[in-house]
Amino acid sequence: MPTIKDVAKDAGVSPSTVSRVINDHPRISNATKKKVKKSMKKIGYHPNIIAQSLVKQKTNTIGLVMPYSAEEAFANPFYSEILRGIGAVAQEKGYSILLITCDGQEEVEASLRAVKSKLVDGILILRAKKDDILLKKLREAEVPFVIVGRPEDADKHYWVNNDNIKASKNLVQHLIDLGHKDIALITGGSEYIVSQDRLDGYKLALKENKIKYNPEYIIHIHGNEEIISKNTKKLLKKNPDLTAIFAVDDLMAYRSILAIKELGLKVPEDISVVGFNNNPLSQLITPSLTTVDINTYQLGEEATSILINVIENKISEYYHKIVEANIIIRNSCDKIKF
């Protein structure tokens, strides 16, 4: 098995220089780093990551907190896409990823266990919740963390997000411009700040157009696809004047479209439907879904870049990044038929 001495001999430098290159010492020139790395690749030398971690007190691993089980999370294309962005930056910067996939108290315990066991250098949290005990515990543990989402006390955290209020308002405005006034909203649990922000955008669009807000048009989903279907049918039967549905996630929109069809209605002829997140399937379903592209891949990239910069002490002041969101108009909504 090749050793540091073998690399040093091939590169024409001392073993201590090779060691400094491996540890990315700032006093080693780029030319020397390039030469040593070329020799490492040539003779097949791989640094002992565990030994490096012990010396540097650093694992080069990011803990990734996902708010569901792995099976549930990866069933949603949002998480697959954001993980692509996270993985691209992590790989480029030499970091690995440790998945933490659970919810509630188990999520807190698993995250703190990873931190206290020195398994990770920082935590990336893929949701923002109200009264979030995890954030409090991570701050107490003095571990770097970044949130994908707008947290409470936004000026006291590192975070990346879209302007969900603005994007939601613009999407509802698009429906209003098509002549819709009776617009239902299917949203997630109220504990998630993104759900509240998209509800606020919905309300704002109605208010600016002098359309009365009707709480009976709002469905809060706390369950699986069958519940979405059941509640969509109940909503439409109870409110026959509805002409449009805004679902705050594309998967909710897909299930709503199926429920509408099962009632013998057509999309968009009878009911227009819009979603949010621009999942890859949105352009493939029938009819293709009008939605909001939140640039999920970029959210992952930006959040990971910020976290690594915090870990490496390149950022000290709290900082956030807003990623642009754009409406993608497809075939699932149309002008209202009078």
Side-chain angles (χ1 to χ4, degrees):
M1 182 178 293
T3 66
I4 282 182
K5 290 183 179 180
D6 297 323
V7 176
K9 183 177 180 181
D10 187 82
V13 298
S14 68
S16 61
T17 297
V18 175
S19 180
R20 290 189 180 98
V21 170
I22 292 170
N23 290 297
D24 198 24
H25 197 286
R27 293 186 180 180
I28 301 297
S29 69
N30 288 332
T32 299
K33 288 180 181 178
K34 186 175 180 180
K35 180 170 64 173
V36 169
K37 288 178 180 179
K38 183 178 179 180
S39 291
M40 289 168 62
K41 184 176 181 180
K42 174 183 172 183
I43 68 174
Y45 174 79
H46 300 283
N48 186 321
I49 302 298
I50 295 175
Q52 280 185 275
S53 298
L54 291 172
V55 172
K56 298 165 67 176
Q57 291 293 295
K58 191 167 177 288
T59 67
N60 275 53
T61 299
I62 293 169
L64 183 59
V65 175
M66 304 174 75
Y68 307 99
S69 70
E71 182 180 353
E72 292 175 304
F74 287 113
N76 188 329
F78 167 82
Y79 292 103
S80 300
E81 184 67 6
I82 199 169
L83 190 56
R84 283 203 318 117
I86 293 167
V89 174
Q91 183 178 33
E92 178 187 346
K93 301 293 185 180
Y95 281 75
S96 300
I97 297 170
L98 175 68
L99 292 181
I100 302 171
T101 53
C102 44
D103 201 2
Q105 185 59 32
E106 287 185 7
E107 176 189 80
V108 175
E109 292 172 358
S111 300
L112 292 177
R113 192 160 52 244
V115 169
K116 292 177 180 178
S117 300
K118 306 294 184 183
L119 297 177
V120 298
D121 297 323
I123 297 283
L124 196 56
I125 305 170
L126 299 189
R127 87 293 180 279
K129 294 172 68 174
K130 298 176 183 177
D131 302 318
D132 196 343
I133 188 66
L134 176 59
L135 306 190
K136 179 183 177 182
K137 293 295 184 180
L138 291 176
R139 287 173 70 94
E140 290 174 354
E142 298 183 340
V143 60
F145 64 91
V146 173
I147 306 152
V148 177
R150 181 184 64 81
E152 294 179 312
D153 296 326
D155 59 341
K156 297 180 180 179
H157 297 285
Y158 299 102
W159 54 279
V160 175
N161 200 22
N162 311 108
D163 186 336
N164 282 291
I165 295 176
K166 176 183 175 183
S168 177
K169 171 180 170 291
N170 289 344
L171 185 59
V172 176
Q173 183 64 54
H174 174 66
L175 289 172
I176 293 170
D177 291 343
L178 292 173
H180 298 278
K181 293 184 179 179
D182 293 288
I183 304 167
L185 176 72
I186 301 177
T187 186
S190 58
E191 71 271 23
Y192 292 106
I193 294 172
V194 64
S195 297
Q196 184 62 52
D197 283 353
R198 292 178 186 176
L199 173 59
D200 287 346
Y202 165 89
K203 289 180 176 179
L204 187 58
L206 297 182
K207 182 178 180 181
E208 289 187 357
N209 288 274
K210 296 181 172 57
I211 299 172
K212 185 178 179 180
Y213 169 72
N214 186 347
E216 289 190 2
Y217 288 176
I218 310 301
I219 299 177
H220 289 277
I221 297 296
H222 298 272
N224 57 27
E225 295 177 347
E226 286 71 24
I227 292 178
I228 296 172
S229 179
K230 179 181 177 181
N231 285 333
T232 299
K233 291 176 182 178
K234 185 186 297 184
L235 175 75
L236 291 172
K237 289 176 181 177
K238 186 177 180 181
N239 302 281
D241 293 334
L242 282 172
T243 62
I245 292 176
F246 165 29
V248 302
D249 178 85
D250 287 348
L251 294 183
M252 292 180 176
Y254 305 159
R255 180 55 61 174
S256 296
I257 289 173
L258 288 176
I260 290 167
K261 291 179 178 179
E262 288 171 1
L263 288 174
L265 301 173
K266 295 181 179 179
V267 177
E269 291 87 348
D270 297 312
I271 304 288
S272 288
V273 178
V274 297
F276 217 103
N277 291 348
N278 194 30
N279 288 332
L281 294 175
S282 296
Q283 61 185 322
L284 302 177
I285 66 168
T286 303
S288 58
L289 184 66
T290 291
T291 184
V292 174
D293 186 356
I294 62 173
N295 292 299
T296 308
Y297 184 92
Q298 187 182 350
L299 285 171
E301 285 185 312
E302 297 285 357
T304 310
S305 293
I306 292 174
L307 179 57
I308 290 174
N309 283 334
V310 175
I311 289 170
E312 297 180 352
N313 297 312
K314 295 177 181 177
I315 299 178
S316 56
E317 299 294 327
Y318 286 120
Y319 170 81
H320 71 270
K321 172 78 174 181
I322 299 296
V323 173
E324 192 65 31
N326 309 292
I327 297 177
I328 307 295
I329 298 175
R330 298 195 179 102
N331 299 325
S332 65
C333 60
D334 200 357
K335 290 182 179 180
I336 190 170
K337 304 296 190 294
F338 295 99

